[in-house]
Amino acid sequence: EAEVAQSPRYKITEKSQAVAFWCDPISGHATLYWYRQILGQGPELLVQFQDESVVDDSQLPKDRFSAERLKGVDSTLKIQPAELGDSAMYLCASSAGTAEKLFFGSGTQLSVL
Amino acid sequence: GEDVEQSLFLSVREGDSSVINCTYTDSSSTYLYWYKQEPGAGLQLLTYIFSNMDMKQDQRLTVLLNKKDKHLSLRIADTQTGDSAIYFCAEGLETYKYIFGTGTRLKVLA
C-alpha cells in the first residue's frame, strides 16, 4: 500500500541551529500539506502545496520557517533558527484533490534543547 | 469561523462499545473523517463519510452524521485494548482545507 514517507523520524537539535525535514507524498498526489502537532493538540496547518505552488502559508512563521516543493513531488520544510517552542511533531500529508482522503506520514518528532 | 470540538477523554471496558463525539461549525464540509493516532505515530485514516450521508458502517466502525446539528460520532463495537489511542475528527472543506479537532483519548480497560 502506498505511503507518505518522512525523514528523519526523530530530530534533536539545539536552539538557534537549522533543521530540515523531508517528505515524499503518495505517487500522483498533487496536494501536499505540512502540519505541526503540539502534544495534546490536533494538527495545525503550516503550509499547503498544489503541485509546486504554495496555496496557503498563512500560518507559517516566515521569519524562521520555509518550505519548498520544487518539482511538485517531494518537499522540504526548514526551520532556521530553531527555538525551544518549535518542539513538536511535524507531519506531512498528501491527497489526490479537493477534500479527498488525506494520508499522513509517520511524522518527525523535533526536540529543541 | 472554522472549529471542530471533541471531548478529551473516554474510558471503556474491553468488549463494550465506544462512542466518540464531535461537533463542527463550518457547513461547507464535503467529507468528514475519523483518524486514529497511536503514541509517537502519524494519523491513520480510519473511515470517512460524505456530507450528504447519514450513516456509514465499516466492520466494527459506525459513523453517524447529523448535518442539521453539525454533529458527528464514531462508534466502535467490541472495543479492544488495541483500540486505545487518540481519535481525531476532521472536516474536509471545499477550499482544500482540513480542520481537525483536538482529539479524544480512548482508554480501553482489560
Side-chain angles (χ1 to χ4, degrees), chain B residues 48-89:
Chain B
Y48 60 97
I49 187 168
F50 190 47
S51 59
N52 68 356
M53 295 174 63
D54 298 324
M55 186 184 87
K56 180 180 179 181
Q57 188 149 1
D58 185 359
Q59 299 183 330
R60 292 191 299 123
L61 306 178
T62 303
V63 180
L64 296 178
L65 175 60
N66 182 327
K67 198 168 183 178
K68 173 177 169 289
D69 294 338
K70 297 192 178 77
H71 182 266
L72 182 73
S73 68
L74 174 69
R75 178 177 180 270
I76 306 173
D78 187 24
T79 313
Q80 303 296 307
T81 54
D83 295 324
S84 292
I86 301 176
Y87 291 80
F88 291 94
C89 70

Side-chain angles (χ1 to χ4, degrees), chain B residues 3-22:
Chain B
D3 194 21
V4 176
E5 293 191 355
Q6 301 178 236
S7 53
L8 290 180
F9 298 103
L10 176 65
S11 179
V12 299
R13 295 208 172 275
E14 191 173 23
D16 288 349
S17 292
S18 308
V19 179
I20 302 171
N21 295 299
C22 170

Side-chain angles (χ1 to χ4, degrees), chain A residues 1-73:
Chain A
E1 185 177 298
E3 293 183 346
V4 176
Q6 283 190 252
S7 67
R9 187 73 181 84
Y10 303 95
K11 180 69 179 177
I12 300 173
T13 191
E14 294 183 344
K15 64 179 182 179
S16 80
Q17 296 298 302
V19 292
F21 314 130
W22 175 82
C23 172
D24 191 11
I26 292 172
S27 178
H29 281 193
T31 313
L32 183 148
Y33 304 78
W34 283 102
Y35 286 88
R36 178 169 59 187
Q37 185 181 26
I38 295 169
L39 193 64
Q41 298 182 19
E44 293 182 325
L45 180 68
L46 289 174
V47 62
Q48 175 188 334
F49 289 92
Q50 182 69 24
D51 298 310
E52 66 275 7
S53 301
V54 173
V55 173
D56 184 354
D57 64 356
S58 57
Q59 301 304 309
L60 188 72
K62 297 183 191 63
D63 56 335
R64 297 185 301 107
F65 286 64
S66 64
E68 61 183 16
R69 193 184 183 198
L70 293 176
K71 296 182 180 178
V73 181

Side-chain angles (χ1 to χ4, degrees), chain B residues 13-55:
Chain B
R13 295 208 172 275
E14 191 173 23
D16 288 349
S17 292
S18 308
V19 179
I20 302 171
N21 295 299
C22 170
T23 58
Y24 58 96
T25 57
D26 197 307
S27 56
S28 67
S29 53
T30 52
Y31 286 91
L32 294 118
Y33 304 88
W34 283 103
Y35 286 86
K36 176 184 180 182
Q37 187 177 34
E38 299 188 49
L43 276 69
Q44 173 196 354
L45 178 64
L46 279 181
T47 187
Y48 60 97
I49 187 168
F50 190 47
S51 59
N52 68 356
M53 295 174 63
D54 298 324
M55 186 184 87

